[in-house]
Amino acid sequence: MILNIMHRPDRAERRGLFELEQEYAHANGIRTTILMTAESLADPAQVALAKEHAAEFGDEIGLSFHGLTHRSIVDLIGYGQEALWLLSLVHKRAVIEHLAREFEDSFGFAPTSLASYHLDASTMRLVRQIMPQVRAAVAGCFEEGVRVFHGCNHSWYLFNEGMPWGPWYPSSSHTLRPARDADDWCGIVAVPHLMRDMVLSYEGRNDFWASHPPNVMRGMGYEGEECPYDRNLIDMFRWQEQFNGGYSYYNSFVSTAWLAEHHAIDDRPEVAQSLYRQQLEYLGELKRSGNVQDMTLTGFADWYRDHRPIGSTEAFFAKELLYGSGKHYFWYVDANWRVLLDATQGGGIGDLRPYVGEVAVDTGPESPALCYGTYPYLIQSQHRTGMPNHSSDGARSTALVTIAGEVYDLGEYPTRIARVDRGPQATVVEFEPVAVGDGAVATIATTVELHRNGAIVYRRKLVACDDGEIEVCERVKLAPGITEYPQPLAGVTLGVVDEAPTEIDYRYDGRRLATSSSGARAYARFPSVSTRVELEPADGRRWTARAEEGHLFSPYVTLSMTTKLSMTTKLSMTTKPSDGQESALCVRLSRM
């Protein structure tokens, strides 16, 4: 596993804490990347300390765009705030040029690494113009924003959901979208601000549960000066080497403010310091045993370009760490999408970000997006209902299984991941079979293929069936958005195809289209994300295709395909799972 440890010195009165965290890292043989803020650039003692550590320990010195409340920034633009990405273009340029000059005046060279909680596409373009030598950046936080916003009393204006959880090549039109190819790349290798708990990144707030011991303290995930969760999270990321060709990445980015008295932590600062020291001690042990390789941020960017070409895929098999629930989730990302398979909902899609549509977003006062830097979803079960709750269900995928006239939702049958096969063209995720039904029971095995060409294939194998035959309705319920609130669906088109397409424009009237044949397909076009979604047979069977319009109390697009499966031999004591039929249904995304 490759490791980046980043420290961000700030105001002069916390200089001692900067020295302390540097001491923790160096005592464990770990190099750091020191990311200087406007405040620390104004403190000659911290500038001198950074130079000393770069010379003695091989640390890197980079530039941070955090803390834009320093008097030099207020004098420059007339006010101060935390977020560079929310400034006007004029003020973004002024701040970047000012800090670049301050850095070069302090150190005699230009930085090759940068950091910000978020760097929108317009800021990235300015960085490339003003600081063309930059090769690496902390460019997104991977805080799945709306739930964090709620948990921070609606005051933390960082909306950057939908990004990769690990390092990536940002596109030039949307920083959070991985570049399609070299022409699409902005020219800088990006890493997330922290590594997050990949279960709570989906079903809870992940700002507490990350590679940052004081943040875990905010979530009360420790006792005294013990925090096994920190080590478990590190080991979970190390385990991902099995699914990514021997590669995994981890970072920690603790600023001095988190080691001092802090309004968000109900404990002594000495506890935060102790837990951070213990985290670095464990990482130091892993380095000495050959299981971790520490790098500077720019050093990692160079390694990444040499070893992880643009267009590489990445997967994450997430197991729940905190509560002992045994939940499994599977994340996958490539240039076409970021997708999450939710084993607690039968292996259905819980989150889908359609990168294939190449949505372009800048943030700032001049942009229609304003503060929303999120890459939009087409499915997000946590924000948009998911399983049936108060009223009808929401955005997700599932299979509705009919056995002896009774309909069962496969999403109500939690399962676990049994096998992952990462091939060159497709990633195969096999789930443990589930027994569905009350009276008559059918046992169904689900396998999902995630193809690099923008296709997801769901295979359902009928392992056993009391009634001899079942009907399977593969259903995908979609709604583009960036928050938990619905967005207008004007302009959306949905349809079905047999020999010729039949389609309607969305107008919230609850209308339905259907057709049935071996070539039947259902589709929808979403202009707000420039994406077409199509359900098509992948097995030559006869299917019935349906496309359903929602209404204002349930504003979704529902696409479904239905077929029948039966046991091909009569059940007996010697019947094998291979005696049941299998269906294969493809969910395909393409750019409009």
Side-chain angles (χ1 to χ4, degrees):
M1 183 172 75
I2 296 174
L3 173 69
N4 285 149
I5 294 296
M6 295 170 280
H7 290 152
R8 187 179 66 211
D10 44 46
R11 60 187 65 168
E13 57 264 34
R14 290 203 285 256
R15 184 187 312 138
L17 293 174
F18 172 47
E19 294 185 64
L20 184 66
E21 63 181 0
Q22 286 285 101
E23 179 185 322
Y24 289 162
H26 297 149
N28 288 285
I30 297 172
R31 289 174 292 172
T32 71
T33 298
I34 302 165
L35 294 158
M36 303 294 289
T37 61
E39 290 179 317
S40 57
L41 286 170
D43 179 13
Q46 291 191 97
V47 170
L49 187 63
K51 290 178 179 178
E52 177 186 326
H53 286 186
E56 183 176 354
F57 300 104
D59 295 344
E60 178 180 4
I61 307 173
L63 178 62
S64 171
F65 291 139
H66 182 69
L68 304 183
T69 55
H70 187 257
R71 63 180 181 275
S72 65
I73 304 298
V74 175
D75 291 344
L76 180 69
I77 65 173
Y79 68 102
Q81 61 135 304
E82 298 290 343
L84 177 68
W85 66 93
L86 298 184
L87 297 179
S88 68
L89 279 171
V90 170
H91 286 165
K92 286 175 183 174
R93 177 179 289 277
V95 168
I96 294 169
E97 290 177 341
H98 168 75
L99 290 176
R101 285 194 303 269
E102 290 289 307
F103 188 99
E104 291 198 47
D105 289 346
S106 296
F107 294 103
F109 61 87
T112 56
S113 63
L114 301 173
S116 178
Y117 285 120
H118 180 58
L119 290 171
D120 71 300
S122 67
T123 304
M124 281 291 210
R125 289 191 290 271
L126 289 171
V127 166
R128 294 295 290 164
Q129 294 170 20
I130 298 164
M131 308 169 73
Q133 76 286 345
V134 169
R135 307 203 294 275
V138 179
C141 212
F142 193 58
E143 285 182 350
E144 296 289 275
V146 175
R147 295 185 181 279
V148 176
F149 191 59
H150 291 180
C152 292
N153 295 322
H154 306 90
S155 65
W156 187 239
Y157 278 68
L158 174 62
F159 300 101
N160 71 339
E161 291 193 16
M163 61 181 277
W165 58 88
W168 78 104
Y169 293 96
S171 71
S172 56
S173 63
H174 198 309
T175 302
L176 303 188
R177 175 177 65 82
R180 178 185 64 258
D181 51 34
D183 292 336
D184 190 34
W185 179 36
C186 76
I188 294 173
V189 172
V191 303
H193 176 74
L194 290 169
M195 313 313 291
R196 308 284 175 175
D197 185 312
M198 295 296 287
V199 170
L200 296 175
S201 294
Y202 170 62
E203 64 175 36
R205 56 182 302 185
N206 67 3
D207 56 333
F208 286 0
W209 309 106
S211 56
H212 186 294
N215 273 338
V216 178
M217 292 177 69
R218 294 165 69 197
M220 306 301 287
Y222 71 109
E223 185 172 2
E225 294 187 18
E226 295 292 327
C227 187
Y229 176 85
D230 283 336
R231 290 176 172 81
N232 291 338
L233 187 64
I234 291 168
D235 290 343
M236 178 61 69
F237 275 82
R238 288 175 55 212
W239 186 50
Q240 303 312 310
E241 294 174 359
Q242 295 188 29
F243 312 107
N244 294 286
Y247 160 77
S248 66
Y249 172 84
Y250 203 75
N251 73 35
S252 186
F253 192 165
V254 178
S255 65
T256 55
W258 291 102
L259 302 180
E261 292 280 353
H262 200 286
H263 69 277
I265 297 177
D266 295 328
D267 212 330
R268 298 172 294 113
E270 290 80 9
V271 177
Q273 295 162 21
S274 174
L275 293 179
Y276 185 46
R277 174 180 52 78
Q278 291 176 55
Q279 182 196 58
L280 291 175
E281 287 173 349
Y282 184 53
L283 290 166
E285 291 173 13
L286 292 172
K287 178 184 176 180
R288 289 188 293 275
S289 64
N291 291 302
V292 158
Q293 181 181 3
D294 65 313
M295 296 183 182
T296 63
L297 189 53
T298 299
F300 170 73
D302 294 341
W303 180 94
Y304 192 75
R305 288 199 310 274
D306 290 341
H307 294 85
R308 303 286 293 177
I310 294 175
S312 296
T313 70
E314 190 161 343
F316 198 104
F317 183 168
K319 295 185 177 182
E320 197 273 306
L321 294 173
L322 196 61
Y323 304 110
S325 68
K327 292 179 179 178
H328 287 183
Y329 296 101
F330 190 83
W331 298 74
Y332 173 87
V333 65
D334 65 20
N336 288 305
W337 51 29
R338 191 191 83 180
V339 60
L340 175 139
L341 302 179
D342 182 350
T344 70
Q345 294 192 50
I349 300 170
D351 184 289
L352 178 62
R353 309 286 167 154
Y355 295 151
V356 68
E358 299 186 8
V359 174
V361 170
D362 295 339
T363 54
E366 309 97 334
S367 168
L370 293 175
C371 61
Y372 294 105
T374 290
Y375 196 93
Y377 58 74
L378 273 173
I379 295 175
Q380 221 300 325
S381 289
Q382 298 298 316
H383 294 332
R384 300 297 299 278
T385 303
M387 289 292 296
N389 189 0
H390 178 267
S391 183
S392 61
D393 68 334
R396 63 187 179 113
S397 76
T398 190
L400 302 178
V401 179
T402 302
I403 309 170
E406 296 292 328
V407 179
Y408 302 93
D409 187 339
L410 206 59
E412 296 179 355
Y413 293 84
T415 181
R416 293 161 63 94
I417 295 170
R419 179 179 66 91
V420 174
D421 181 14
R422 294 271 282 139
Q425 297 302 320
T427 294
V428 178
V429 183
E430 180 183 320
F431 294 90
E432 295 176 356
V434 293
V436 179
D438 296 323
V441 174
T443 301
I444 300 170
T446 296
T447 301
V448 182
E449 301 169 2
L450 300 158
H451 291 261
R452 296 186 65 161
N453 63 356
I456 303 176
V457 176
Y458 269 86
R459 297 188 182 275
R460 311 287 187 184
K461 175 74 173 179
L462 185 58
V463 176
C465 182
D466 292 344
D467 199 50
E469 183 180 76
I470 64 172
E471 183 180 83
V472 177
C473 173
E474 297 284 359
R475 197 190 69 170
V476 179
K477 204 165 181 179
L478 305 134
I482 55 174
T483 72
E484 75 265 54
Y485 298 114
Q487 290 190 335
L489 295 176
V492 170
T493 302
L494 57 155
V496 294
V497 179
D498 192 348
E499 294 182 357
T502 302
E503 63 180 42
I504 56 175
D505 294 329
Y506 201 98
R507 66 183 192 208
Y508 300 95
D509 278 345
R511 294 168 294 167
R512 300 181 180 185
L513 301 172
T515 189
S516 182
S517 74
S518 59
R521 305 190 303 278
Y523 66 89
R525 295 191 296 268
F526 298 91
S528 66
V529 291
S530 300
T531 300
R532 175 187 171 104
V533 180
E534 185 162 352
L535 272 58
E536 59 187 31
D539 58 5
R541 305 177 65 83
R542 183 178 183 85
W543 292 78
T544 297
R546 294 184 178 88
E548 301 180 30
E549 176 187 43
H551 45 77
L552 275 175
F553 201 72
S554 183
Y556 300 95
V557 170
T558 304
L559 305 178
S560 66
M561 299 281 288
T562 304
T563 193
K564 292 184 177 181
L565 296 178
S566 62
M567 302 302 295
T568 55
T569 60
K570 189 175 181 180
L571 283 173
S572 69
M573 294 296 291
T574 60
T575 299
K576 297 179 181 179
S578 60
D579 292 327
Q581 292 181 338
E582 179 180 270
S583 64
L585 189 281
C586 177
V587 182
R588 186 179 301 279
L589 270 64
S590 58
R591 190 175 184 187
M592 287 176 54

